[in-house]
Amino acid sequence: MLYSECDIEEWRVAAALSTLVPSHLMKLALTFWLNKREGVALISEMMRFSQLIQSICSLAEADEVFIEYNELSPWWRSVRSQLMDSTNPLRALTGAMVCRAVALSVERTKESARSDPVEDVEKNRREGEEKVPSPDEDTHSSCSEWENVSHDSCQWTLLIGQLEDVAVLDAVLRQKPPVNNEKMTKIKTFWLPYEKLGATLSHILKEGKGSVSELVARWLSYSGVEPQRLVDWSDYEFDKDCSEQQEAPADDENP
């Protein structure tokens, strides 16, 4: 679909005639995206992928994809879970951006269908009237805008922020540390044979922050870096003068 000349509407009709379950199509689309070959035109790929996700959502029942603001959609929750389990956080990040855009589009479309045209005209007329809002009206307006943020939207924002952090970590872990065997032999520094590491958001959230420290420690053990270089000896706690000054008052209190 991403690399063919097939029209998106033709694909949607063919998918509808195939009687395949939309949720299964969504899983297949995400699996392809998370494991696809590296492309040079990422922006165009993301645009085509967004069209694909939008078409799959149109095949599902509207109530299955979109629910009330204060609830979580099982449809998008399953998508986020699959993105969190990906061993390629960067592709999961781009996929999350696309899915979030589609989810917001679906919300707007559903809300437009529910709205009353007469009320919309009256609302637009009132908004068009020029007037200076009072502080109370500003507060009410801010609260109304905050209420319009759905629970799913908040989850998408949280997920994208987490994937950004994990993608940076994964980019470092995937780089094989440069090891100078001759230099390491001279200074008698030992290092472990390199083993490719990978980070998934679901693993980090499950194991806690300690899992990040463990991954970084393993990567450093492959690099053969001198242990003393990992400590900032200029730090305050290693300043002998400061340490003595802190201990002096305690000694004066003793009889």
Side-chain angles (χ1 to χ4, degrees), residues 203-218:
H203 173 75
I204 292 175
L205 293 178
K206 181 180 179 181
E207 300 298 330
K209 296 181 179 179
S211 59
V212 177
S213 302
E214 180 183 354
L215 289 170
V216 174
R218 289 176 60 187

Side-chain angles (χ1 to χ4, degrees), residues 1-11 44 48 51:
M1 176 63 196
L2 297 182
Y3 309 105
S4 67
E5 299 297 332
C6 176
D7 182 74
I8 189 65
E9 184 60 26
E10 294 180 1
W11 184 92
S44 60
R48 291 282 289 179
Q51 294 177 350

Side-chain angles (χ1 to χ4, degrees), residues 155-223:
Q155 291 299 313
W156 280 119
T157 302
L158 176 62
L159 175 64
I160 290 175
Q162 292 172 333
L163 286 174
E164 287 177 348
D165 296 335
V166 178
V168 174
L169 173 64
D170 184 71
V172 175
L173 297 178
R174 287 179 180 271
Q175 298 295 322
K176 184 177 181 180
V179 178
N180 189 329
N181 294 336
E182 182 179 353
K183 180 180 178 181
M184 296 304 169
T185 303
K186 290 182 180 180
I187 62 178
K188 296 182 180 180
T189 299
F190 301 96
W191 67 95
L192 297 176
Y194 175 72
E195 178 183 344
K196 189 175 180 180
L197 298 174
T200 64
L201 177 57
S202 59
H203 173 75
I204 292 175
L205 293 178
K206 181 180 179 181
E207 300 298 330
K209 296 181 179 179
S211 59
V212 177
S213 302
E214 180 183 354
L215 289 170
V216 174
R218 289 176 60 187
W219 187 86
L220 289 172
S221 67
Y222 302 149
S223 66

